[in-house]
Amino acid sequence: MHSPTLADAVIIGAGPVGLFQVFELGLLDIKAHIIDSLPEAGGQCIELYPDKPIYDIPAIPVCTGRELTNNLLKQIAPFSPQFHLGQEVTGLEKQADGRFLISTSQDLHFLAKTVFIAAGVGAFQPRLLNLEGIEAFVDKQVFYRIKHPEQFSGKRIVICGGGDSALDWTLYFADKAASVTLIHRRDDFKAAPQSITKMRELCAAGKIQLVIGQITGYESKAERLSEIFISDIDGNTNLLPLDDLLIFFGLSPKLGPITNWGLDLDRKQIVVDTEKFQTSIPGIYAVGDINAYPGKKKLILSGFHEAALAAFAAAAYLNPEKQIQLQYTTTSPKLHQALGVKPASPE
């Protein structure tokens, strides 16, 4: 194992609450590393509703999930958080000196004085295509996430799904791939209306093909996926040749290794107090949808409040002999310096 990265705070989860946790810690001069299983920051906001409106963020009458994420990233930029994305936390162990050794699926290791679990409803994993043996082709010809779109140029691609991701990639590849076939189990799509309209226009123009049905099997030649079987609603089965298969069945959250970290759980949520939002292990805090306490409401604004109190608790935990002063961003020269802003001139 390489020498672990030393950290005052490691945040698990880069959704809105995890991002705001960076800000609250930064105001208290605590630097944070942030880990997330998804390839970009934003959590559910980015994965599930990037373009859908959110109406209950205080002082912001309406914003999309992407706008909220971008604003939070801008807000925490002065604190230079270090992001470690596209990897899951696989281990968390308390050490003899009270610090926590954290390991990730990409073999990164951190030795953290405090840990903040802001994992929402768990690490998002793609829903898989349920065909025996298909896993042998994953990340070769079967893909659940697209990291390098250019690799599909000039290919015969089949896209499965009926949501925004499936439609967005169908439209993207329409003039880049040799052929694009969209497969969905019914002729009803849960995507942006303009995307559905555009997809149907491309179908009518013969630029892409839409097939209503389900993949029920496949053929392979020389250890490569060569064709898939598609069964329609009438029970007819057709064979479709292809180069690559892109699956967008949505994401399902899984608590995963969190269940093995020795924390008190209540129905797959982490039990915390409402003074510090500390878990059953001192030095580990849980904020946002992942936590449970009497009266808990799963709202982003609740998570923001929890992040503020957890940050103050962590500051006291890290420096028990130091009096932690509540300072205001409006008037505090120290906070103005930390944020890189000039105080307003007095009237």
Side-chain angles (χ1 to χ4, degrees):
M1 186 179 88
H2 300 298
S3 296
T5 300
L6 302 181
D8 285 332
V10 166
I11 299 166
I12 301 170
V17 175
L19 296 178
F20 192 65
Q21 187 69 73
V22 172
F23 183 78
E24 288 297 320
L25 288 169
L27 292 179
L28 294 166
D29 204 25
I30 301 170
K31 294 286 186 187
H33 289 259
I34 188 161
I35 305 168
D36 199 288
S37 62
L38 294 172
E40 63 178 316
Q44 290 185 62
C45 278
I46 287 296
E47 283 296 311
L48 302 184
Y49 42 92
D51 301 311
K52 292 188 169 63
I54 303 170
Y55 298 100
D56 62 348
I57 305 299
I60 303 176
V62 61
C63 66
T64 65
R66 189 170 297 282
E67 287 167 344
L68 178 63
T69 300
N70 289 342
N71 280 333
L72 283 162
L73 288 169
K74 192 185 299 182
Q75 189 175 32
I76 66 177
F79 302 120
S80 305
Q82 295 192 46
F83 285 89
H84 311 277
L85 302 174
Q87 54 198 302
E88 194 174 343
V89 173
T90 53
L92 190 159
E93 299 172 26
K94 190 163 189 175
Q95 306 300 288
D97 63 3
R99 291 184 293 180
F100 302 94
L101 181 63
I102 295 168
S103 308
T104 80
S105 55
Q106 286 194 16
D107 206 29
L108 293 183
H109 304 277
F110 302 85
L111 202 52
K113 294 178 182 176
T114 60
V115 179
F116 297 79
I117 303 173
V121 285
F124 281 103
Q125 305 292 340
R127 291 193 175 95
L128 306 181
L129 177 62
N130 187 20
L131 281 182
E132 188 176 344
I134 199 72
E135 60 275 3
F137 303 101
V138 170
D139 292 334
K140 297 171 186 172
Q141 289 176 276
V142 176
F143 299 88
Y144 294 99
R145 286 197 179 114
I146 294 179
K147 296 178 182 174
H148 307 290
E150 64 279 2
Q151 78 183 81
F152 303 103
S153 293
K155 300 281 191 71
R156 299 169 300 169
I157 63 174
V158 174
I159 297 176
C160 264
D164 283 308
S165 294
L167 270 289
D168 288 348
W169 286 115
T170 296
L171 301 181
Y172 177 85
F173 287 121
D175 60 354
K176 295 178 177 67
S179 67
V180 177
T181 303
L182 175 63
I183 300 174
H184 190 41
R185 64 186 184 276
R186 60 178 184 271
D187 197 6
D188 179 34
F189 297 87
K190 292 184 178 177
Q194 63 268 28
S195 298
I196 299 170
T197 300
K198 182 65 176 169
M199 178 269 292
R200 295 199 186 281
E201 288 173 357
L202 290 170
C203 284
K207 299 285 182 64
I208 64 172
Q209 187 181 6
L210 171 63
V211 177
I212 306 303
Q214 298 189 68
I215 300 176
T216 51
Y218 63 89
E219 292 277 358
S220 61
K221 291 176 184 172
E223 298 185 0
R224 282 189 63 79
L225 193 64
S226 58
E227 298 165 308
I228 54 172
F229 294 101
I230 304 170
S231 297
D232 63 23
I233 52 176
D234 297 320
N236 303 312
T237 300
N238 295 301
L239 211 53
L240 180 65
L242 81 167
D243 294 314
D244 291 309
L245 179 58
L246 316 182
I247 308 291
F248 301 106
F249 289 160
L251 299 163
S252 60
K254 290 182 172 59
L255 266 193
I258 291 176
T259 55
N260 304 320
W261 295 346
L263 301 164
D264 283 352
L265 298 175
D266 178 18
R267 298 178 192 173
K268 296 187 178 181
Q269 292 170 293
I270 301 170
V271 176
V272 294
D273 64 59
T274 51
E275 178 193 357
K276 302 174 181 176
F277 294 94
Q278 187 168 259
T279 68
S280 55
I281 300 177
I284 302 181
Y285 307 85
V287 292
D289 288 356
I290 195 74
N291 72 17
Y293 55 85
K296 167 73 180 186
K297 297 291 181 283
K298 289 190 177 187
L299 296 168
I300 294 174
L301 69 91
S302 303
F304 289 165
H305 157 78
E306 295 160 13
L309 292 193
F312 276 96
Y317 177 84
L318 290 168
N319 298 288
E321 71 292 337
K322 185 179 175 184
Q323 184 73 30
I324 307 298
Q325 296 292 332
L326 176 62
Q327 298 186 63
Y328 299 101
T329 56
T330 313
T331 54
S332 166
K334 182 184 177 189
L335 295 187
H336 290 158
Q337 185 177 4
L339 291 166
V341 297
K342 291 182 179 179
S345 302
E347 292 293 329

